[in-house]
Amino acid sequence: MSKFLVTGGAGFIGGNFLHIMVKKYPNDEYVCIDALTYAGNMETLEPILKEKNFKFVHENICNREAVYKLFEEEHFDYVINFAAESHVDRSIENPEIFLKTNILGTQVLLDACRKYGIKRYHQVSTDEVYGDLPLDRPDLFFKEDTPIHTSSPYSASKASADLLVLAYHRTYGLPVTISRCSNNYGPYHFPEKLIPLMIQKALRNEPLPVYGNGANVRDWLYVGDHCNAIDLIVRNGRDGEVYNIGGHNERTNLEVVKTILKALGKPESLITYVKDRPGHDLRYAMDPTKIEKELGWKPEYNFDTGIQVTIKWNLENKKWLEHVESGEYLNWLERQYK
């Protein structure tokens, strides 16, 4: 039996990770810590709240005293850090919160791991730390040794955290791993990101805003595939290593939007082109050869199958989406313990 601390588990990727692992490993224990900021949603965790091997703690990873107390009480074997501010547009408007959560919060966790001891600390990172690739070179991919070259306050904060994690490994011998993933999509995705936003706007026959000419390319990864990759890295990866996780599913933003419209039977006339985002990266594309060869990971979903599953989930979970869009989900704790 092992005990895991999962930070940011009420968010999109962390929530999906817990859904899978709590049921996959009933003899392991999972403690979720989440600050429940705007993107943290307790309704995401409702399917596992009553599971015997799951526990939720409402706290911020930047609170050193509270984090140390939790480590002292729980004696964790593994720490997986999903907790992060992750929306690029928000980072452009207000960089400070990204630096606090993504860098200083990571430092608090690393210090706690040093103080109380763990088998492994895993940092969930992003392909955005590499910057971008040119659109006219489809032969180029991000590899684990690609130099870091950030474009936004968000990606700069994530790159800083990665470097801090690796420094703690080299300086203090802390057992760590890092995963850098391409764009995720799937169930429980907060509707500020491209795919869930476009699905909801299409369902309401509202204009679908596309940055620039929609030519920016992303490698799309179904969230369940990402979670399974992280599980393999945490349990079998090599200390001090970085692993890229990609879906081999490159699409332009415009192609993604058109795919959603076609699946929902909506006209392309709903597409509206808007002023491009400052510093908008052109193309992300990951080379996942390392994790495939070392750990035997392969994605189960391609984009065509994964997007259908995602759209179906959105159609079947309107209550969750309504609560997110109305802000009602923020009152979950009050409703639960009133």
Side-chain angles (χ1 to χ4, degrees), residues 4-10 12-24 30-33 45 48 53-56 82 227:
F4 292 77
L5 174 63
V6 177
T7 73
F12 166 47
I13 304 176
N16 276 280
F17 180 83
L18 285 167
H19 284 187
I20 296 169
M21 301 307 155
V22 165
K23 295 178 181 178
K24 183 177 180 179
Y30 292 85
V31 178
C32 168
I33 181 173
L45 294 175
I48 58 171
N53 62 334
F54 176 75
K55 176 181 178 180
F56 177 79
F82 290 94
C227 294

Side-chain angles (χ1 to χ4, degrees), residues 27 46 51-52 173 211 214 217 226 250 282-283 290 295 302 313-314:
N27 293 325
E46 282 199 64
E51 297 291 338
K52 294 181 179 180
Y211 280 132
V217 174
H226 182 199
E250 290 185 55
L282 295 175
R283 173 176 171 254
K290 181 176 179 178
L295 303 178
N302 60 38
W313 185 91
N314 276 261

Side-chain angles (χ1 to χ4, degrees), residues 110 136 141 143 230:
L110 291 169
D136 60 354
F141 297 88
K143 299 179 183 293
I230 290 172

Side-chain angles (χ1 to χ4, degrees), residues 91-112:
S91 81
I92 294 170
E93 293 175 5
N94 180 21
E96 184 176 3
I97 186 63
F98 285 74
L99 306 187
K100 286 181 178 178
T101 300
N102 298 356
I103 303 174
L104 298 181
T106 297
Q107 183 203 7
V108 169
L109 292 171
L110 291 169
D111 286 342

